[in-house]
Amino acid sequence: MKRAWPLTLRGTGALVLALACFALASELGIVELLYFGVLLTAVLVVSVAVLYGTSRADGVTRSLHPDVSSVGRESAVSAHVTLRTSLPTSSAVWRDTVPSGLRGEATGAFPALGSGLRGAGSGGTRTAELTYRLTGARRGVHSIGPMTVSSSDPFGLARRTLVFSARTAVTVAPAVIDLPPLADFSGESGGMLQTTTEQLGQGADNLVARPYVPGDSMRRIHWRATAHRDELMVRQEEQESRPEATVVLDRSALRWAAEAKTHPGVDPGFEAAVSLCVSAVARLVYDGYSVDVIDADGAVLAEQLDGADAADVEGLVTQFATLTTRRDDQLPTLRRVFAGVMSGPVVLIVGRFDAADAESVAPVAAHSALALLFAASPIGDALRHASESGWRAGSIDPDDLGGAWAAAVGRGVSRVS
């Protein structure tokens, strides 16, 4: 915010002293006091004129690395601040406004700049580069800014605050937790696992290349075959090397806090569920599964992710930065999504979960080679009932998602809290 009064406490005192000198010089007839008052006034006028008449804010641009932050992850921010100034500037103090969804200290000493009149083609501008670090605190899209630069004259009589109003949107994605692998359960997964990322280079000979046709994903281009045939070729995986998995995130607003419907990042339970969802997807993709991510009614939340494709996982995590709940309660209809089909691993993530819910989703477990269920707010013996119907059930602990995952995978039922 701009200062309405340009003088500092020292400058205000000097102004009061100058006015007192004028009054006393008139009352007492002391000419020297009049001269001293004029001198103080002149110094104050020059101080204000130098600060307010020689420079102005031109603009600020910010860049982040990485481009998308995530909860608990630190990002480096580089701010390029441009001033138009005709005189050299003294050092100042800068501060960038950090929203509540981010944590960090965005303040420091602003460097002294030379005159913008020097140097051909400068256009009277000088640029300073500032860096600081921020940590994602709450999922969602947040804006950094405005930035202020406060400077004073060499005598400390006047102060000016330049405001750079430009804001920069920062996307804070859900945290991805490293979950234990399902490698020990490949016999229950419904198919043979693909090779993991460290074996990707060795798996090319197991793929069949065919000519590219419109609609094929560019990620499937087989560059070695393309160079050999002098035409675009795409990878055609063998059917048995593409096991599939499904992750279901129940977004019913009735099962989560009311705020989760309109504002991402405010309901701890839903945030833990979203984090567990993207973490489970990342784990399954890394283990070689092609993963479908759906809502409880079968609505697709993201395009199918290919096994061992880290880029797909990053895209999903970014997409889920703004995910919220919805009004409809579709969990009782989940059985219809899997009716008549056999699936590989199924991961079901819900909020409030009672015995009636356990009964409604019981048939789904029979259609999955490995059925995992996680509830943020289980009621009574709901998890035990789910376990009896074939689910490996566990409660979501926001502080230990990895432990909840490992416990549910390793036992029929678990409560981790």
Side-chain angles (χ1 to χ4, degrees), residues 361-377:
V361 300
V364 178
H367 293 270
S368 170
L370 179 62
L372 301 173
L373 186 150
F374 299 92
S377 302

Side-chain angles (χ1 to χ4, degrees), residues 120-410:
S122 64
T125 63
R126 283 290 183 264
T127 301
E129 182 173 350
L130 311 173
T131 59
Y132 57 95
R133 307 188 75 85
L134 296 177
T135 302
R138 192 175 71 242
R139 186 174 60 89
V141 178
H142 313 282
S143 294
I144 305 175
M147 175 180 284
T148 60
V149 177
S150 300
S151 59
S152 62
D153 68 290
F155 301 105
L157 300 176
R159 179 174 294 277
R160 183 188 185 188
T161 299
L162 295 174
V163 179
F164 299 82
S165 58
R167 298 172 182 265
T168 301
V170 179
T171 300
V172 179
V176 179
I177 309 300
D178 187 16
L179 302 178
L182 295 179
D184 293 340
F185 301 91
S186 57
E188 303 173 350
S189 64
M192 181 188 301
L193 293 179
Q194 288 182 356
T195 53
T196 53
T197 52
E198 58 262 23
Q199 297 172 316
L200 285 177
Q202 303 171 10
D205 293 337
N206 295 328
L207 305 178
V208 178
R210 60 169 175 80
Y212 172 86
V213 296
D216 285 335
S217 172
M218 296 300 291
R219 294 193 302 268
R220 297 189 178 278
I221 292 180
H222 194 304
W223 294 109
R224 184 185 303 176
T226 297
H228 181 71
R229 297 286 296 274
D230 199 24
E231 66 173 318
L232 279 179
M233 304 291 290
V234 295
R235 303 189 307 269
Q236 181 72 51
E237 290 91 345
E238 295 179 358
Q239 185 65 29
E240 66 271 18
S241 66
R242 293 199 51 177
E244 296 185 350
T246 305
V247 177
V248 184
L249 176 61
D250 181 22
R251 297 164 56 215
S252 169
L254 298 176
R255 301 178 182 275
W256 309 96
E259 298 82 3
K261 183 180 177 182
T262 54
H263 299 92
V266 295
D267 177 15
F270 188 66
E271 294 312 299
V274 173
S275 180
L276 179 59
C277 177
V278 295
S279 300
V281 171
R283 178 71 267 170
L284 291 167
V285 168
Y286 184 83
D287 284 343
Y289 292 94
S290 294
V291 183
D292 291 306
V293 187
I294 63 175
D295 206 333
D297 61 348
V300 176
L301 299 181
E303 294 185 5
Q304 187 181 68
L305 291 83
D306 293 334
D309 194 333
D312 278 358
V313 175
E314 293 178 1
L316 172 74
V317 173
T318 302
Q319 180 181 339
F320 275 27
T322 56
L323 191 71
T324 56
T325 61
R326 67 178 193 177
R327 180 178 302 175
D328 301 336
D329 184 11
Q330 299 292 343
L331 186 61
T333 66
L334 181 63
R335 67 176 72 187
R336 302 175 186 173
V337 177
F338 294 91
V341 299
M342 285 300 298
S343 175
V346 173
V347 180
L348 173 59
I349 303 171
V350 299
R352 181 184 55 79
F353 188 75
D354 57 25
D357 298 322
E359 182 179 356
S360 69
V361 300
V364 178
H367 293 270
S368 170
L370 179 62
L372 301 173
L373 186 150
F374 299 92
S377 302
I379 299 175
D381 294 332
L383 293 181
R384 183 177 61 81
H385 291 311
S387 178
E388 291 173 351
S389 63
W391 290 97
R392 296 174 182 264
S395 59
I396 298 176
D397 177 10
D399 297 325
D400 189 13
L401 295 180
W405 172 273
V409 169

Side-chain angles (χ1 to χ4, degrees), residues 50 156 298:
V50 168

